[in-house]
Amino acid sequence: MKNFFRQNGLLLALIALLLSILIGVGSALLGGNTDPLSNVVNTVASPIRGGVSAVMDWAEGVYTYVFHYQELHDQLSDLQVKVSQLEEQVRQGEEASRENEQLRQLLQLQAKRRDFTFESARVTTRSTSNWESTLTLSKGSAAGVALGNCVITETGVLVGVVSQVGLNWSTVSTVLNTDIEMGGIVTRTYSAGILEGSFDLMSQGRLKLSYLPEDARLVSGDEVVTSGKGDVYPSGLVVGQVEGVFTDPSGMTRYAVVLPDVKLDSLVEVFVIKDFDIVE
C-alpha cells in the first residue's frame, strides 16, 4: 500500500485538489447548500485526501530519520577519531612517564656508582627454554660493548653478562643461564658463594648460590648481591632473594636457591656496564 501511495501520490493529490475545487465551485453556485453530487464527491475525496496526507507524513518521517541517521553516523565517526587520538595520547603519556621514572632511577644509581660507565640498549629478542636463557640487545662493539660486560636494569639489578658481540648487536646470558658463574654474597650475613645457573632450576626461573660455608645461616628473603671477587664483575649488583638452603646430593656442600629480582619477560631497555672501578 505504501508503495502504491509513493508511486501515485502526486496524481492522487491532483485529483483531490480538482475535486475540492469542483466542490467549492458547486457549493458557491448553489448558495452554500449541499447537493447530492457534493456529498458523493466529498465522500470519495475524503479518504483520498487522508491517504495523500498519510503518504506525505510517512515521507517526511523517512526523510527526518535518514537525515538524523547520517548526522549520528557522522558524529559517531568523529567520536571514534577523537577516542583514537586520546588513546594515543594516553599511550604516549604512559611511555613518557615510564621513561622519566627510568631516568630518575638511573640517575640515582649513577649518583651511588659514579665509577660505572653505561651504554643503554633495547632488548630486541629473547630466548628462554630449558636449555638456555638469553637476550639479544640493539648495541654491539660499535658502541663499546664487549664480552664479559655486566648488564643491569636502571635500578642496578643484574640481568646477565654479555656472551657474544657483533657490530651492532650483542647476546646476553641471563642470570639463569648455565654459563653464568660469578661471586655472590648475602648482605645480611656476608656469607659468600658462587652464583651459577642450573638446568634443573632454569625452567623454574631460579639460580644457585653454591659452595656456601658450613656455618652460613641463611633465611628466606635474604638479599644476594655480586661480591666483585676476582675483579671481573662489579660488586654490589643486586641479584635476588634466597628462597631456601639445601645440601648437594653428594652431601659435601650446601647451596641456596635464589629467586632473581629481574623480570626477564618484561625487559624493554637495559644498561651495559662498559667500565667500572675495581675495589681492592
Side-chain angles (χ1 to χ4, degrees):
M1 180 65 72
K2 289 182 178 179
N3 289 335
F4 173 80
F5 283 129
R6 184 164 55 241
Q7 295 171 0
N8 302 285
L10 182 59
L11 178 60
L12 293 174
L14 290 174
I15 293 173
L17 178 62
L18 290 174
L19 289 175
S20 297
I21 293 172
L22 289 174
I23 291 170
V25 171
S27 178
L29 292 174
L30 295 174
N33 297 321
T34 303
D35 55 46
L37 178 59
S38 297
N39 286 330
V40 171
V41 171
N42 278 318
T43 300
V44 174
S46 179
I48 295 175
R49 286 196 296 267
V52 172
S53 177
V55 169
M56 297 301 291
D57 290 343
W58 172 80
E60 183 179 0
V62 169
Y63 171 79
T64 302
Y65 171 79
V66 171
F67 176 79
H68 286 296
Y69 175 82
Q70 185 61 44
E71 187 178 50
L72 290 173
H73 182 271
D74 293 341
Q75 290 177 355
L76 179 60
S77 298
D78 292 341
L79 287 174
Q80 288 174 335
V81 171
K82 291 179 180 178
V83 168
S84 297
Q85 293 173 342
L86 289 173
E87 288 176 343
E88 179 61 25
Q89 291 176 5
V90 169
R91 283 192 292 270
Q92 292 176 353
E94 290 175 345
E95 178 66 16
S97 177
R98 186 192 66 81
E99 290 178 352
N100 287 337
E101 176 62 19
Q102 185 180 54
L103 179 60
R104 184 183 66 81
Q105 292 177 333
L106 182 62
L107 290 174
Q108 290 179 349
L109 178 61
Q110 287 177 321
K112 294 178 182 178
R113 300 299 300 264
R114 297 182 183 275
D115 58 316
F116 285 175
T117 300
F118 293 112
E119 181 67 40
S120 64
R122 297 186 71 84
V123 176
T124 57
T125 58
R126 64 192 83 230
S127 175
T128 303
S129 67
N130 292 333
W131 306 105
E132 67 173 359
S133 177
T134 62
L135 303 173
T136 302
L137 305 185
S138 62
K139 298 289 182 66
S141 58
V145 176
L147 289 174
N149 286 164
C150 279
V151 179
I152 62 174
T153 68
E154 69 275 9
T155 58
V157 174
L158 182 65
V159 175
V161 178
V162 175
S163 55
Q164 287 182 295
V165 180
L167 184 64
N168 58 359
W169 61 271
S170 55
T171 299
V172 177
S173 292
T174 75
V175 292
L176 303 179
N177 214 49
T178 55
D179 61 358
I180 286 292
E181 188 173 302
M182 65 176 65
I185 191 169
V186 179
T187 57
R188 185 178 64 84
T189 64
Y190 296 102
S191 301
I194 301 297
L195 288 163
E196 56 184 2
S198 165
F199 283 123
D200 296 336
L201 295 174
M202 189 184 299
S203 61
Q204 303 173 32
R206 271 74 171 166
L207 71 155
K208 287 182 178 181
L209 178 63
S210 302
Y211 305 106
L212 289 172
E214 286 295 327
D215 60 349
R217 295 292 180 264
L218 309 186
V219 297
S220 177
D222 278 346
E223 184 182 58
V224 180
V225 300
T226 57
S227 65
K229 288 184 177 180
D231 300 333
V232 177
Y233 305 112
S235 62
L237 302 179
V238 177
V239 179
Q241 314 295 320
V242 170
E243 279 198 335
V245 179
F246 305 89
T247 301
D248 189 87
S250 66
M252 302 296 292
T253 60
R254 300 168 68 225
Y255 67 92
V257 172
V258 179
L259 175 65
D261 278 4
V262 65
K263 307 302 180 186
L264 296 173
D265 292 339
S266 59
L267 284 177
V268 176
E269 188 171 17
V270 294
F271 301 87
V272 181
I273 302 176
K274 298 191 296 184
D275 194 18
F276 65 96
D277 291 344
I278 296 174
V279 180
E280 299 293 343

